[in-house]
Amino acid sequence: MTKRIFRSILVVSLAALLAALALVVGVLHGYFESRTEADLNQQAVTIARGTALGGIDYFEGLNISSRVTWVGQDGTVLYDNWQNASTMENHASREEIQEAMSLGKGTAVRWSDTLGQTAIYCAVRLDDGTVVRAASTQYSVWALVLQSVQPILVVVIAAMILAAMLASRLSKSIVRPINELDLNNPGGTSEDFYEELTPLLTRLRMQNHEIRQQMDQLRRRQEEFSAITENMSEGFLVLDIRTRVLSNNSAALRLLETDCVPVPGETSAFVLSREEGFRRCVEEALAGRRSERMVRRETLCRQIIASPVMQDGHLGGAVVVILDVTEREQRESLRREFTANVSHELKTPLTAISGTAEILENGMVKPEDVGHFAGNIHREAGRLIELVNDIIKLSRLDEGGADGPWEEMDLYRLSKNVLEQVRPAAEKRNLTLSLKGGPAMACGVPQILEEIVYNLCDNAVAYNRDGGSVTVTVEDTGKGARLTVEDTGVGIPAEARDRVFERFYRVDKSHSRGGTGLGLSIVKHGAAYLGATVVLRSEVGTGSTFILNFPPAEH
């Protein structure tokens, strides 16, 4: 814009300069013409006086640059200082001669064959009727210009430089208020902006207000979107048609287990994960088909769902949702395993009961052996009932409910009662039972607390060595009650310590030690229900120690 204004001002300045020069030359031309005519007229009068006094002899001593001609009454040329008078034609028909003879003076401007250019003629009549004429060349405009070409060029060049300087300063001063406009607050603080810009500035203010409102709305939406997506446990990716990531949340990077932070519009989704399932999902979605696949890595399981995005009937990209289904898959696996284990555990006693009953039904048992077989049926039925009861207990704990209100109980007294319950089984194996510590209060459902302590002590007896010991320690730590059950049994291998709390899991696969395989699972779920934590320490061949830390009892 500055250059255009500069060029416009410079052109206007030069045009004005040229026009002024033309006007000056024209004025000078008129001035020189009138001046020349006046000088010639004065010369003609002077020569006429001299001729009247001296006759033709006056011309002999006359030294003048103008052409002087003396014409008789009949138009015959009597004298001419530039030409031979005898060879010149009659001048009676000349305009200035005729005018001088009739009026006393005459003037004319015409082309002169003698001078070879336009000339000015001034004629004066003498008393004897003859006419004296003076003539001089008329300078044309171009002649004047050519005679003054050097000063004119100097003036033009100086004027051009001055015009360029002034045009530059003026163009900058014109543009400066526009360049200094504050587009965020147009016309708000400036005092020298052009009034002609008022409509533009008003429109800019309105547009700025609309833009600020739109930006505030977009910012609020972006913040809401970010707040929602960043607090999602599910990951999502928005991809363009070339697999480049346009948007994502942090959960997507966490679930894809990548440290790469994608640059929007530049990073390919395949940089984030090179898993075959992920790649196939993205490729199928960008081909226009919805895709869903499972991606497994070690113990983790991810569900990838990719859907195409259509824009005006054309494929514009894809949206990829990443779900962490590890826990769901583990639960499903545990459910299948639990179903299989329950079926197996129920089948064993039922098979024994069915087989024994069939033998009795067919009369294949001697009367004196009936009691033995009936005892087998009774034991297997009891085992079956115990298994069902344990399953019911676990189901109630899973559902977050248990029979009975919460009460404050003394773990020391409870442990003492439980040890008395397992004492008969311990005496059969020569095990030493001991209780240490003192009173410590814990809050919970009495039935659940008793089940926890009983299962720990029962396992300590069942998996102990003959002649070993079981030690129960109860103490109040100041931050809650602590129950420790320690045995001198076979211990638990390191690879099995994380699984002993699973349902029906047994370190001893032979089932030779009895039990339902649900005892430690009841301990784990019961402790979780009461807000307690379970810690296991064990060494193979040395024994195991189970530590329960209860939260402080509320008085």
Side-chain angles (χ1 to χ4, degrees):
M1 183 176 179
T2 305
K3 291 181 179 179
R4 294 181 62 182
I5 295 176
F6 171 79
R7 288 195 297 268
S8 299
I9 295 175
L10 184 60
V11 169
V12 170
S13 301
L14 294 178
L17 174 63
L18 294 176
L21 285 175
L23 180 62
V24 169
V25 171
V27 171
L28 289 176
H29 176 264
Y31 170 77
F32 284 138
E33 183 175 354
S34 62
R35 186 67 180 172
T36 301
E37 184 177 345
D39 290 343
L40 283 175
N41 203 10
Q42 183 63 36
Q43 287 180 10
V45 172
T46 302
I47 295 171
R49 292 176 181 173
T51 304
L53 294 175
I56 196 169
D57 295 333
Y58 173 77
F59 294 107
E60 295 299 331
L62 183 64
N63 185 14
I64 190 170
S65 60
S66 301
R67 179 184 179 188
V68 179
T69 306
W70 187 22
V71 181
Q73 292 182 358
D74 58 354
T76 303
V77 178
L78 303 176
Y79 174 80
D80 191 282
N81 62 344
W82 283 20
Q83 293 287 333
N84 187 356
S86 60
T87 61
M88 296 178 65
E89 61 182 6
N90 190 285
H91 279 37
S93 60
R94 299 290 195 271
E95 179 184 352
E96 69 277 5
I97 300 298
Q98 292 179 358
E99 187 177 351
M101 287 183 175
S102 61
L103 298 177
K105 289 184 179 181
T107 303
V109 178
R110 67 175 180 274
W111 179 263
S112 173
D113 292 333
T114 303
L115 300 178
Q117 54 187 341
T118 302
I120 300 176
Y121 297 94
C122 290
V124 176
R125 187 187 63 191
L126 278 65
D127 294 338
D128 58 1
T130 60
V131 176
V132 174
R133 185 187 69 178
S136 179
T137 302
Q138 182 189 35
Y139 289 97
S140 66
V141 174
W142 296 112
L144 290 174
V145 171
L146 289 175
Q147 288 179 2
S148 307
V149 64
Q150 185 174 358
I152 289 176
L153 286 177
V154 173
V155 171
V156 169
I157 293 173
M160 289 180 64
I161 295 174
L162 181 61
M165 294 174 60
L166 293 177
S168 177
R169 292 190 60 182
L170 185 59
S171 61
K172 291 178 180 178
S173 64
I174 292 174
V175 175
R176 180 181 55 79
I178 300 176
N179 290 335
E180 292 179 354
L181 284 177
D182 184 3
L183 297 181
N184 294 323
N185 185 23
T189 58
S190 178
E191 297 180 355
D192 57 351
F193 68 89
Y194 304 117
E195 293 182 1
E196 291 79 4
L197 294 178
T198 300
L200 173 62
L201 298 179
T202 302
R203 184 59 181 168
L204 285 175
R205 282 194 293 270
M206 294 174 60
Q207 288 185 344
N208 284 346
H209 180 67
E210 293 177 1
I211 291 172
R212 280 194 295 269
Q213 288 183 331
Q214 293 174 356
M215 291 299 296
D216 291 340
Q217 186 176 5
L218 289 174
R219 190 179 298 107
R220 286 194 299 270
R221 290 183 178 178
Q222 181 65 30
E223 290 174 355
E224 293 173 358
F225 181 75
S226 299
I228 293 172
T229 56
E230 289 303 321
N231 287 283
M232 289 172 53
S233 58
E234 299 83 2
F236 84 94
L237 300 171
V238 179
L239 313 178
D240 64 8
I241 194 66
R242 298 182 179 178
T243 74
R244 294 177 297 194
V245 179
L246 302 180
S247 180
N248 68 281
N249 63 349
S250 56
L253 306 181
R254 175 175 53 81
L255 293 175
L256 291 175
E257 298 181 282
T258 178
D259 295 329
C260 175
V261 179
V263 178
E266 296 183 11
T267 305
S268 172
F270 296 145
V271 175
L272 304 181
S273 176
R274 302 187 182 277
E275 295 285 347
E276 181 66 20
F278 178 80
R279 178 180 289 272
R280 289 287 183 86
C281 268
V282 172
E283 290 175 348
E284 291 183 14
L286 294 179
R289 301 185 300 274
R290 185 181 184 277
S291 179
E292 183 174 341
R293 293 178 182 272
M294 302 294 290
V295 176
R296 291 180 172 83
R297 180 185 295 178
E298 297 177 353
T299 60
L300 302 178
C301 185
R302 306 286 187 256
Q303 184 178 12
I304 311 296
I305 303 173
S307 300
V309 175
M310 308 302 293
Q311 295 178 339
D312 300 328
H314 300 284
L315 184 66
V319 174
V320 181
V321 178
I322 308 160
L323 306 175
D324 185 359
V325 294
T326 302
E327 185 176 355
R328 188 186 72 184
E329 291 295 308
Q330 289 176 346
R331 287 181 178 180
E332 183 64 21
S333 177
L334 289 174
R335 185 191 64 79
R336 292 191 297 267
E337 185 178 350
F338 177 73
T339 302
N341 287 333
V342 167
S343 301
H344 176 74
E345 295 291 342
L346 290 176
K347 181 179 179 181
T348 300
L350 286 174
T351 301
I353 292 173
S354 176
T356 304
E358 184 180 0
I359 293 173
L360 290 173
E361 182 183 13
N362 293 332
M364 299 173 62
V365 180
K366 296 179 181 180
E368 61 271 19
D369 294 330
V370 171
H372 172 73
F373 282 95
N376 288 339
I377 293 176
H378 182 267
R379 284 192 301 273
E380 293 299 331
R383 180 181 174 189
L384 189 59
I385 292 172
E386 181 183 0
L387 176 61
V388 173
N389 286 336
D390 285 346
I391 293 174
I392 292 174
K393 292 173 186 175
L394 276 175
S395 297
R396 288 177 178 174
L397 291 173
D398 285 340
E399 293 173 0
D403 295 333
W406 283 56
E407 297 180 7
E408 208 174 348
M409 298 186 64
D410 184 0
L411 288 180
Y412 188 83
R413 181 181 298 176
L414 176 61
S415 300
K416 184 177 182 181
N417 294 335
V418 170
L419 287 177
E420 290 301 322
Q421 294 177 33
V422 299
R423 189 173 296 279
E427 290 177 349
K428 291 181 180 179
R429 302 182 59 190
N430 296 320
L431 298 178
T432 301
L433 302 180
S434 59
L435 177 61
K436 297 181 179 180
M441 305 305 293
C443 190
V445 179
Q447 182 180 355
I448 297 177
L449 282 171
E450 186 175 357
E451 286 288 342
I452 292 173
V453 178
Y454 178 83
N455 278 291
L456 288 177
C457 293
D458 185 57
N459 276 359
V461 171
Y463 292 94
N464 214 321
R465 300 180 181 276
D466 293 342
S469 64
V470 176
T471 303
V472 179
T473 304
V474 179
E475 53 187 330
D476 189 349
T477 64
K479 296 182 180 180
R482 176 181 295 166
L483 173 70
T484 305
V485 178
E486 184 178 1
D487 64 61
T488 57
V490 295
I492 301 172
E495 64 275 9
R497 290 171 196 162
D498 292 334
R499 300 198 61 191
V500 292
F501 294 101
E502 295 179 8
R503 300 172 188 187
F504 296 110
Y505 182 82
R506 291 185 176 90
V507 178
D508 183 2
K509 305 297 183 182
S510 66
H511 296 239
S512 61
R513 297 187 183 269
T516 62
L518 297 175
L520 289 180
S521 185
I522 293 175
V523 169
K524 176 184 176 182
H525 286 75
Y529 180 78
L530 299 178
T533 59
V534 183
V535 179
L536 168 62
R537 297 172 184 169
S538 182
E539 293 292 337
V540 177
T542 302
S544 302
T545 301
F546 290 85
I547 304 172
L548 272 78
N549 294 300
F550 291 88
E554 297 181 0
H555 297 283

